[in-house]
Each structure stands twice: as structure tokens, then as C-alpha cells.
Amino acid sequence: MELIFATHNQHKTIEAIEILGETFQLKNLKDIGCLTEIPETADTLMGNALQKARYVHEHYHCNCFADDTGLEVEALDGRPGVYSARFAGEHCSYQDNVDKLLREMEGKTNRNACFKTVVALIIDDKEYLFEGRVDGYIVEQQRGTAGFGYDPVFLPKGFDKTFAEMGDEDKNAISHRGRAMRKLVDFLKKY
């Protein structure tokens, strides 16, 4: 089955291919010639995921899915949340976001956080939603070089390695995106 992943993010695409396996032929926006930066103007992860999936479905008439992910930090009242990708500004880098997060966490004793991913699937003109969540903590200094985004500062509960210190297979087995994608795969296998 061919599925379009509504993303330009190559890191996300690779991660999704590793999680979905060979059951699906996965393409991203670049593969279908969509160079448009799809707006993410909703104030929830679910809203953004649906907005992106609906855009691709409407313009390219294909089965597709989109995701949105947010890091919610208790000591920051749930921020950065839906603004995780642009926490440090509109055209910031992953490192800019991590630096801002660590600055805002200085002196905080409550380091509880969670990663959430919502996947919106549109298949045969019907919409479905899948959510994945992993709880953990924000470490005080970056650790590890793998992964992307906030991976060097997120320590999942029950583990002694940040996402950036884990191999892809270990991370994908427990990550928020991995959990949401496995729900997507389970659904598609029964579909």
C-alpha cells in the first residue's frame, strides 16, 4: 500500500520508514512534488496533524497521514507544546530550541516532561487519529548525538539514556512517534 507522509522533514521520514517496515511504500511531500510549506496554525497537535493531512488529501487526492509532535514540560506550564518546532523563533534550528529550553529550565527542580505525537490518517476519504505519548524528564545538559530535536535533553522514564544516546531501534520501540505509528500500522493491517 502506498501512503504519503505529509512532511518535508527527512528525519521524520526515515524514522517512519523504520517503524512502518516494508508493508507500506512510504513517500513524503518531496517525493510527490509538493514544495509548499503546509500551514500549522491550529492550537493543538491534533488540529495541526489534521490540517496537514487534509491539505495533502485535498490537493493530491491520495491516502496520506500527517503528524504533529510536542514536548510538554511541567515546570513551563506545558510549553513548548504545539510550538515545539519553533520554540526559539520562526526559522530556528533544533539547537536553538534546545538552548532556549535549557535556559528556561535553569534552577527548576521539577523536570517532568512528556512527548506527544498525534497522527492523522486520511484513507478512502475517512479520517482517523492515533496518539502516542512517552513520559520522562529534561536533563540538565545535552547527552548523545543521535536523533534530532529535543532528543539530547529528553530522558524517558525508566531509562538511563536520553533519546539521543539510544540507537534508532531502541528509541523507536518506546518513543511517542513510535507508539502512534504502531497504532497506525495495527489499524492499517486490519483495514
Side-chain angles (χ1 to χ4, degrees):
M1 174 189 290
E2 182 176 283
L3 271 177
I4 308 304
F5 187 7
T7 187
H8 291 288
N9 186 321
Q10 199 57 35
H11 294 288
K12 279 187 181 184
T13 302
I14 291 166
E15 203 170 84
I17 289 169
E18 289 169 353
I19 294 166
L20 293 174
E22 296 178 16
T23 312
F24 307 96
Q25 182 185 0
L26 190 66
K27 294 183 175 180
N28 65 19
L29 295 177
K30 182 181 173 192
D31 297 327
I32 61 170
C34 176
L35 304 177
T36 306
E37 198 61 47
I38 301 171
E40 295 180 58
T41 56
D43 57 3
T44 64
L45 299 175
M46 179 177 69
N48 280 337
L50 282 167
Q51 188 175 23
K52 291 185 282 189
R54 287 171 179 162
Y55 179 93
V56 171
H57 185 259
E58 184 180 314
H59 290 83
Y60 295 89
H61 313 288
C62 56
N63 292 329
C64 63
F65 70 94
D67 79 325
D68 199 23
T69 294
L71 174 67
E72 298 178 359
V73 181
E74 279 184 18
L76 303 180
D77 300 320
R79 289 182 308 116
V82 73
Y83 304 105
S84 293
R86 49 196 180 280
F87 188 45
E90 216 25 67
H91 300 286
C92 61
S93 68
Y94 293 139
Q95 190 60 54
D96 295 335
N97 285 330
V98 168
D99 290 343
K100 179 174 180 173
L101 177 65
L102 290 177
R103 275 193 311 275
E104 291 202 18
M105 289 299 292
E106 281 177 14
K108 304 254 192 276
T109 54
N110 177 0
R111 306 199 65 92
N112 294 332
C114 72
F115 259 127
K116 289 182 184 173
T117 293
V118 175
V119 173
L121 169 70
I122 302 179
I123 188 167
D124 298 331
D125 299 321
K126 293 186 183 117
E127 296 178 352
Y128 303 91
L129 294 167
F130 309 92
E131 185 175 315
R133 174 188 173 124
V134 62
D135 293 302
Y137 314 94
I138 302 301
V139 295
E140 292 184 12
Q141 295 179 356
Q142 294 184 62
R143 295 174 17 198
T145 56
F148 63 100
Y150 297 95
D151 287 357
V153 295
F154 185 79
L155 180 70
K157 208 174 257 186
F159 292 83
D160 60 359
K161 292 180 179 176
T162 66
F163 275 166
E165 293 174 300
M166 295 180 174
D168 290 342
E169 193 174 321
D170 291 338
K171 176 192 170 190
N172 291 339
I174 63 163
S175 78
H176 46 293
R177 188 170 293 108
R179 290 174 179 180
M181 291 287 198
R182 277 189 294 285
K183 289 177 183 176
L184 169 71
V185 170
D186 290 346
F187 173 83
L188 289 170
K189 284 180 178 174
K190 294 173 191 164
Y191 187 76

